[in-house]
Structures are given as C-alpha cells and as structure tokens.
Amino acid sequence: MLEDRRLAVLRAIVEDYVATHEPVGSKALVERHNLGVSPATIRNDMAALEDEGYITHPHTSAGRIPTDRGYRLFVDQISDVKPMTAAERKAIERFLGDAVDLDDVMGRTVRLLAQLTQQVALVQYPSLQRSSVRHVELIAVSETRLMLVVIMDTGRVEQRVIECSAPLSEDVLADLRTKLNASVASKPFAFVPDALQDLDKSFAEKDQRLVQAVMSAVLEAVTERIDERVVLGGTVHLARYQQNFPMAIQPVLEALEEQVVLLRLLGELSIESPVTVRIGQETEVQGLESTSVVTAGYGRSEEPVASLGVMGPTHMDYAGTMSAVHAVAQYVSKILKGQ
Amino acid sequence: MLEDRRLAVLRAIVEDYVATHEPVGSKALVERHNLGVSPATIRNDMAALEDEGYITHPHTSAGRIPTDRGYRLFVDQISDVKPMTAAERKAIERFLGDAVDLDDVMGRTVRLLAQLTQQVALVQYPSLQRSSVRHVELIAVSETRLMLVVIMDTGRVEQRVIECSAPLSEDVLADLRTKLNASVASKPFAFVPDALQDLDKSFAEKDQRLVQAVMSAVLEAVTERIDERVVLGGTVHLARYQQNFPMAIQPVLEALEEQVVLLRLLGELSIESPVTVRIGQETEVQGLESTSVVTAGYGRSEEPVASLGVMGPTHMDYAGTMSAVHAVAQYVSKILKGQ
DNA sequence: CTTGGCACTCTGACTCACCGAGTGCCAGAT
DNA sequence: ATCTGGCACTCGGTGAGTCAGAGTGCCAAG
C-alpha cells in the first residue's frame, strides 16, 4: 500500500518531468495527479525515494528530478508495451509498404522512426552473420578485375571488386561461378569460409593457382569487410533538445559519427523482452550519460537479424518511444519476410 | 593607393574576425596588422567601407564585422588558391591512396575533408549522368525476380531488383545479358534509353513480350532511381560553432537531412574557377543565411563527374578551406583515374 | 500514518550604476 | 588632399544588491 503509493509518486514525477523538463514539486504533483493525499505526505515519500536513490534535488529549494535509477524503475514498471492505435498502425504499414528495395526499406524505416518518436533514429542493415546467402555472382569487369556480388536472403546486397594477378578465362569463370553458387547458396553466411575450403581442388591443375587466388580474395572480401551498416536520421531533433535543455550535443554528434559506437548502442539484443531500454550510463558510451537508447530486434522474433531504435535524452517519453520502436520493428520484420 | 588600403583594411577585418569571432575595432586593427597609419585614418576607411556595404556595426559602440558582401569581395580577392604544404599533400595522398573501393574512396574523402577543414564535409558520388556504363549484369535471384547490376566506369555500382510477371528462361536471359552489354557498354549513361530502344525486336516472337517487360523495368529502374548520392561527415563540428557563436544549428541539421538541398548546395559547378564559394544568402537555401559553402568538382577538370565540398559558418577561413577542398578534389580525381 | 503550519533556503528575475571599448567628427598638422 | 590627435558620446556587458516565489524539512497535532 505504502510501497504502491511511492511507486505512483515516482511515476508521477517521471511523467511530469518528461512533460515539462522542470523539477517537480510536491504541491504541483498533488494538483496534477489525483493522489488522494496532501503535499506534506508526498514530501515524505519523496524524501524516502531520494534516500533510495530514485530522485534528486538540483538545489535545496527546487523540485525533484528522477535519477537514472528512477527512470530504470519506471521503465521496468512498464510491463507490457502499449500498442499503437489503429490509425498509427495503418500509417506505418502504408509508409513502409511502398518500399521497393532493401535500401528503400531501411531509408523509410529510419525516417519513420525519427518522425514517430521525434528523436534520432538508428537502423541497422540485416547482419550478414545472421542471414543466409541467396546467390553469388562473379562479374568480369575488366581483364584482371572481378566484381563479387553477394545477395542475401534478407535482400541485402554486398559488392566488392577483386583484383586478379592474371586474366581468368570465361570458361573457368563460369565454372567457378556455378560451383561457388552450388556450395554457398542458402548457407548461413558464417558457413561460407568452410564451404569455400576445398573448392579449388575441383579445378584443372593449370587453373588451380589462379582459382585459389580468386578464392582467397573472395574470402578476404567477405570476411574482412566491415559487414555492419547503420543508417541514421532525425538528427534535427538534437537541436530541439538543446533549446529546452542545455545538454551537450557534441558527444552525441561524435557518437553518431562512429559506426562502432552505433553498433554498440544497437547491439546485444535481449531475446527475453521485445524492446531493450538503456538509460544514461547503461549505454556504456563515454559522453552519452544523459542519453537513453531504445532498441528492438527485427527479423524473426526468436532470432532477430539486426536491430533498430532511437536515441534521445534520458528524460524522454519511454512508454511512447518503446511502443513506436516495437511497432516499427514488427512491421519491418513483416515486410522483409514478404520480400 | 587609397583604394588599396581600403582593401587591405577589409582584408584585415575579415582575417581578425575569422580568427576571434569578435567585432574588430580600429585600434586593435593597427596594432595587429602593420598598416602604417593611425586608428583615426582606419576609422575613416571603415566608414567608407560601411557606406559601400562591406562591413557593419552590431551596435553603435562596437567594432565592425564583415557583411556577406564583404566576404564576397574578400574571397574574390583570393585570385589563386594557396597550395598545400608538401607534408599535407603527402598526408592526403597516403590517406586516400589506401582506398580499395569507390565506397571506400567516398568514405575516406568525406572524413579527410572534415578533418582538414574542421567543418561539415559533403561528397557526392560520381553522377550517373556524367559517367559511362562499363558493364551491365542481370542476375536471376529467383524464378520471377531479376537483379540488375550496373557498373560505371567511375567504379560506381548500382543495383536494383526487378519483378518479372513470368519466369524467364536461362537461355533468353543469357542472350538478353549479352545484347544488353553490347548495346550499352561504354556508352554515356544518358544514351542508355536510346540504346535499349529496339533491343526487344531482336528476340524470337514468343519471348518478345517478356523481354519487353523486362526492358521497360530496366529502363524505369535506371531512370527513375534517384541517382545522386551524397555522403556527409564532420557534423561534430557543428557543436563547436555553436559554442563560439550562437548560430542556429537547427536549419543546418535540417538541410543535411534533405538530399535535395545537399545536391543543390553541391550543384552547379562553375568550370571557370576550380573552387566555387557561395556565401550566406548566395546558397539560396532557406535557413542557411549564415552559412557558406565551398565546393569543387572532381573527375576530369574540363568535365567534372561530381562535386565535393564543405559547409561552415560565413566567418570561416576561406583561404584555408578553399585550398583544402581544391587539393582533395584533385587527389580524388587522380585516384579515380587510376581505378 | 497523515496533515497543516512554519521557518528556512536558494534560484531567477529585475534594477541600476559603471566601466570600457569603440565610434564620429572636428580642427590642426603634413 | 590626406592624415592625425583629441574629445564627447553611445551602448553593451558586468557585477552588486534586492526581492519574490517555489519548494523543502521538520514538528506537533489529528
């Protein structure tokens, strides 16, 4: 009972603070939310909450603001993600449904997420590691130059130029192409190196050296390549944060320029809950102490193929953001299945 | 003589203002630059410059700052772009030389530009319109789905999935592939539609309808596609501007999210001078009134294939920026020629 | 356990005076 | 004609001082 009210107070504080971005006092709380008690009672609860580390004081005579720990408790309290309204679902479906291409899907998704949440959106391309090869193509671009095109079952396409030491005859190339496809098609990406292992053995003696060279180039191209791509959008919203709250956008912009950091933010999908929230320091990125990240995996739900999400100030509307991210992830999964 | 000194004064004002970002007064000017005259004389010149619209007053009792028109005159005065030092050239060459791919070249270039100028960098992929087709490939991804891959002589690769109404036999596909290549290879991109015109006529009656469908899809894919890509980097530097100068970064971030705007900023290469500078309103983009853009074309100098550049506050170091942009454009041209 | 009351604290806004940098102009020097 | 020193004037920014208001913490009573 008492515990219940304390939670309600924390909730109310978070909600008000998120709405106004100003420290919230005991009097304002009882006025806005109809907790049936007096400000003095709330003050006691607040003192208790502060002792437990869920809220703080900027100064002695100011209202309370939630700490990261407070947000965490608040978020954990949101057990089930609030579904979107029918209209919103329709809008999402319509907007994403028009996509013609994987690139198009990714581009639309990032714009949609940014638009829905009014925050910076991040969308990771389907991870090569977690998808299978649909088709491999070797194209002779010039005498000694091949282009390797790998098409994944997620619609993702990677290409890479390979330099050959000596020209490859069209016959050998065709043969190689066929064998390559036969051995890697519909295999998970991780099996590709194994699949290529002894492929060169099946060629005539005279071609072996050349084929081997090509194969090792293919292998290198396929493994060395930084195979994770992230697109982002909605950076405009950073400017708005700053107006309301003098948060340093510098570290945020820095983070956005580093692929590695972005991947870390998106990474480590938890299967247990559909949406992952990392608050402040939990991002474990230097400079993003007052930033939270909300992510969700997409692809098959048991085995997500990559993730997407948004990034915003710790005082964000977690409920709304979580439901938007969740909904978008679901629709992207659906679309990709269709393609 | 008198005119000469006025120009010198303008120059000095621009230089000081760029360095300090604070209105510069007559006294400070004579101290820093050794113009052999007294502050009073400078004041007269300043009054004249102000009449002509090259500088202004923020307030009655403040120093002068250059107007857009002042910057324009200043920039026009820089007749020849200052070359980079040997060390800088080496560094550029080394950094760009390691690129393995067109994507890699573009990525490295944008990072390099941002690094050198400490500003936001924009790099446009080689325009399809201004380059020629090297190779076209049609890959059967599934029964009714083809993937069209177009490889340009600039190293740019575009791919697009084409849906077919009915399955295409491997024979017809191979034939189509060969004929397609024969007719478009090494033709400028703009000629592709013409080249495809009557291609379907050469097929057997029974295949014609199908081939025609594919061809029109190819045509659509090739023309409808927004064929201009721009990569950008160095947005971190926006944060720095804002600290020193409360310029609104919101419109800048907005501009950076709009491909169309970016292309307009990069567009309209002037052949006459190697580097184009657009100052403040000259950008002709709403919201970028206190932003300047420095661009240069790359590719063959007579006929650039696309452009690159940087974007920064109107009070930027034009001389340094221009020479950096120029140098990078030259090296990118060189690298692309080699590929 | 809750409530009303009360003293206390601290911030933010406002005012006001002042300093100093910088200008414009004029009269005299070159 | 042009430059220079001098001088009065203007204004923005700074810092001190004041004040109101919001909010707290605590205590004693319900």
Side-chain angles (χ1 to χ4, degrees), chain B residues 84-115:
Chain B
M84 310 231 79
T85 68
E88 285 170 320
R89 300 169 78 90
K90 262 281 184 311
I92 294 176
E93 202 155 11
R94 184 138 28 83
F95 187 68
L96 289 185
D98 287 348
V100 299
D101 236 10
L102 181 67
D103 286 333
D104 203 10
V105 173
M106 298 288 111
R108 280 166 184 266
T109 304
V110 78
R111 286 206 300 280
L112 179 62
L113 261 181
Q115 170 69 27

Coordinates of all heavy atoms in Angstrom, one line a residue, chain B residues 84-115:
Chain B
M84 N 48.8 23.5 -50.9 CA 49.0 22.9 -49.6 C 50.5 22.7 -49.4 O 51.2 22.6 -50.4 CB 48.3 21.6 -49.5 CG 46.8 21.6 -49.9 SD 45.8 20.9 -48.6 CE 45.7 22.2 -47.4
T85 N 50.9 22.5 -48.2 CA 52.3 22.2 -48.0 C 52.6 20.8 -48.4 O 51.7 20.0 -48.6 CB 52.7 22.3 -46.5 OG1 52.0 21.2 -45.8 CG2 52.2 23.6 -45.9
A86 N 53.9 20.5 -48.6 CA 54.3 19.2 -49.1 C 53.8 18.1 -48.1 O 53.3 17.1 -48.5 CB 55.8 19.1 -49.2
A87 N 53.9 18.4 -46.8 CA 53.5 17.4 -45.8 C 52.0 17.1 -45.9 O 51.6 16.0 -45.9 CB 53.8 17.9 -44.4
E88 N 51.2 18.2 -46.1 CA 49.8 18.0 -46.2 C 49.5 17.2 -47.5 O 48.6 16.3 -47.4 CB 49.1 19.4 -46.3 CG 49.0 20.1 -45.0 CD 48.6 21.5 -45.1 OE1 49.0 22.2 -46.0 OE2 47.8 21.9 -44.2
R89 N 50.1 17.5 -48.6 CA 49.9 16.7 -49.8 C 50.2 15.2 -49.6 O 49.4 14.4 -50.0 CB 50.8 17.2 -51.0 CG 50.5 18.7 -51.3 CD 51.6 19.2 -52.2 NE 51.4 18.8 -53.6 CZ 50.6 19.5 -54.5 NH1 50.1 20.6 -54.1 NH2 50.5 19.1 -55.7
K90 N 51.3 15.0 -49.0 CA 51.7 13.6 -48.7 C 50.6 12.9 -47.8 O 50.2 11.8 -48.1 CB 53.0 13.6 -47.9 CG 54.2 13.4 -48.7 CD 54.4 11.9 -49.0 CE 55.7 11.6 -49.7 NZ 56.0 12.4 -50.9
A91 N 50.1 13.6 -46.8 CA 49.1 13.0 -45.9 C 47.9 12.7 -46.7 O 47.3 11.6 -46.5 CB 48.8 14.0 -44.8
I92 N 47.4 13.6 -47.5 CA 46.2 13.4 -48.3 C 46.4 12.2 -49.2 O 45.6 11.3 -49.2 CB 45.9 14.6 -49.2 CG1 45.5 15.8 -48.3 CG2 44.8 14.3 -50.1 CD1 45.3 17.1 -49.1
E93 N 47.5 12.2 -49.9 CA 47.8 11.1 -50.8 C 47.8 9.8 -50.1 O 47.2 8.8 -50.6 CB 49.1 11.4 -51.5 CG 49.3 10.7 -52.8 CD 50.3 11.4 -53.7 OE1 51.0 12.3 -53.2 OE2 50.4 11.1 -54.9
R94 N 48.5 9.7 -49.0 CA 48.6 8.5 -48.3 C 47.2 8.0 -47.8 O 46.8 6.8 -48.0 CB 49.5 8.7 -47.1 CG 49.7 7.4 -46.3 CD 51.2 7.3 -45.9 NE 51.8 8.6 -45.7 CZ 51.7 9.4 -44.6 NH1 51.1 8.9 -43.6 NH2 52.4 10.5 -44.6
F95 N 46.4 8.9 -47.3 CA 45.1 8.6 -46.7 C 44.2 8.1 -47.8 O 43.5 7.1 -47.6 CB 44.5 9.8 -45.9 CG 43.3 9.4 -45.2 CD1 43.4 8.6 -44.1 CD2 42.1 9.9 -45.6 CE1 42.2 8.3 -43.4 CE2 40.9 9.6 -44.9 CZ 41.0 8.8 -43.8
L96 N 44.1 8.8 -48.9 CA 43.2 8.4 -49.9 C 43.7 7.2 -50.7 O 42.9 6.4 -51.3 CB 42.9 9.6 -50.9 CG 42.1 10.7 -50.3 CD1 41.8 11.7 -51.4 CD2 40.8 10.2 -49.7
G97 N 45.0 7.1 -50.8 CA 45.6 6.0 -51.6 C 45.3 4.6 -51.1 O 45.2 3.7 -51.9
D98 N 45.0 4.5 -49.9 CA 44.7 3.1 -49.3 C 43.3 2.6 -49.7 O 43.0 1.5 -49.3 CB 44.8 3.2 -47.8 CG 46.3 3.3 -47.4 OD1 47.2 3.1 -48.3 OD2 46.6 3.5 -46.2
A99 N 42.5 3.4 -50.3 CA 41.1 3.0 -50.5 C 41.1 1.8 -51.5 O 41.8 1.8 -52.5 CB 40.3 4.2 -51.1
V100 N 40.1 0.9 -51.2 CA 40.0 -0.3 -52.0 C 38.9 -0.2 -53.0 O 38.8 -1.0 -53.9 CB 39.8 -1.5 -51.1 CG1 41.0 -1.7 -50.2 CG2 38.6 -1.5 -50.4
D101 N 38.0 0.7 -52.8 CA 36.6 0.6 -53.4 C 36.2 2.1 -53.7 O 36.7 3.0 -53.1 CB 35.7 0.1 -52.3 CG 35.0 -1.1 -52.7 OD1 35.3 -1.7 -53.8 OD2 34.1 -1.5 -52.0
L102 N 35.2 2.2 -54.5 CA 34.6 3.5 -54.6 C 34.0 4.0 -53.3 O 34.2 5.1 -52.9 CB 33.6 3.6 -55.8 CG 33.0 5.0 -55.9 CD1 34.0 6.0 -56.5 CD2 31.8 5.0 -56.8
D103 N 33.3 3.1 -52.7 CA 32.7 3.4 -51.4 C 33.7 3.8 -50.4 O 33.5 4.8 -49.7 CB 31.9 2.1 -50.8 CG 30.6 1.9 -51.6 OD1 30.0 2.8 -52.1 OD2 30.2 0.7 -51.6
D104 N 34.8 3.1 -50.5 CA 35.9 3.4 -49.6 C 36.5 4.8 -49.9 O 36.7 5.6 -49.0 CB 37.0 2.4 -49.7 CG 37.9 2.3 -48.5 OD1 37.5 2.9 -47.5 OD2 38.9 1.6 -48.5
V105 N 36.7 5.1 -51.2 CA 37.2 6.4 -51.5 C 36.3 7.5 -51.0 O 36.7 8.5 -50.4 CB 37.3 6.6 -53.1 CG1 37.7 8.0 -53.5 CG2 38.3 5.6 -53.6
M106 N 35.0 7.3 -51.2 CA 34.0 8.4 -50.8 C 34.0 8.5 -49.3 O 34.1 9.6 -48.8 CB 32.6 8.0 -51.2 CG 32.4 7.8 -52.7 SD 32.4 9.5 -53.6 CE 33.9 9.4 -54.5
G107 N 34.1 7.4 -48.6 CA 34.1 7.5 -47.1 C 35.3 8.2 -46.6 O 35.3 9.0 -45.8
R108 N 36.5 7.8 -47.2 CA 37.7 8.4 -46.7 C 37.7 9.9 -47.1 O 38.2 10.7 -46.3 CB 38.9 7.7 -47.4 CG 39.3 6.4 -46.8 CD 40.2 5.6 -47.6 NE 40.5 4.3 -47.1 CZ 41.5 4.1 -46.3 NH1 42.4 5.0 -46.1 NH2 41.7 2.9 -45.8
T109 N 37.2 10.2 -48.3 CA 37.3 11.6 -48.7 C 36.5 12.5 -47.7 O 36.9 13.6 -47.3 CB 36.7 11.8 -50.1 OG1 37.4 10.9 -51.0 CG2 36.8 13.2 -50.6
V110 N 35.3 12.0 -47.4 CA 34.5 12.9 -46.5 C 35.1 13.0 -45.1 O 35.1 14.1 -44.5 CB 33.0 12.3 -46.4 CG1 32.9 11.1 -45.5 CG2 32.1 13.4 -46.0
R111 N 35.7 12.0 -44.6 CA 36.4 12.1 -43.3 C 37.6 13.0 -43.4 O 37.8 13.9 -42.6 CB 36.9 10.7 -42.9 CG 35.7 9.8 -42.4 CD 36.2 8.8 -41.4 NE 37.2 7.9 -41.9 CZ 36.9 6.9 -42.7 NH1 35.7 6.6 -43.0 NH2 37.9 6.1 -43.1
L112 N 38.3 12.9 -44.5 CA 39.5 13.7 -44.7 C 39.1 15.2 -44.8 O 39.8 16.0 -44.1 CB 40.2 13.3 -46.0 CG 41.5 14.0 -46.4 CD1 42.6 13.9 -45.3 CD2 42.0 13.6 -47.8
L113 N 38.1 15.5 -45.6 CA 37.7 16.9 -45.7 C 37.3 17.5 -44.4 O 37.6 18.6 -44.1 CB 36.5 17.0 -46.7 CG 36.8 17.3 -48.2 CD1 35.5 17.4 -48.9 CD2 37.5 18.7 -48.2
A114 N 36.5 16.7 -43.7 CA 36.0 17.2 -42.4 C 37.2 17.5 -41.5 O 37.3 18.5 -40.8 CB 35.1 16.2 -41.8
Q115 N 38.1 16.6 -41.5 CA 39.3 16.7 -40.7 C 40.1 17.9 -41.0 O 40.5 18.7 -40.2 CB 40.1 15.4 -40.8 CG 41.5 15.4 -40.2 CD 41.4 15.4 -38.7 OE1 40.5 14.9 -38.1 NE2 42.4 16.0 -38.1

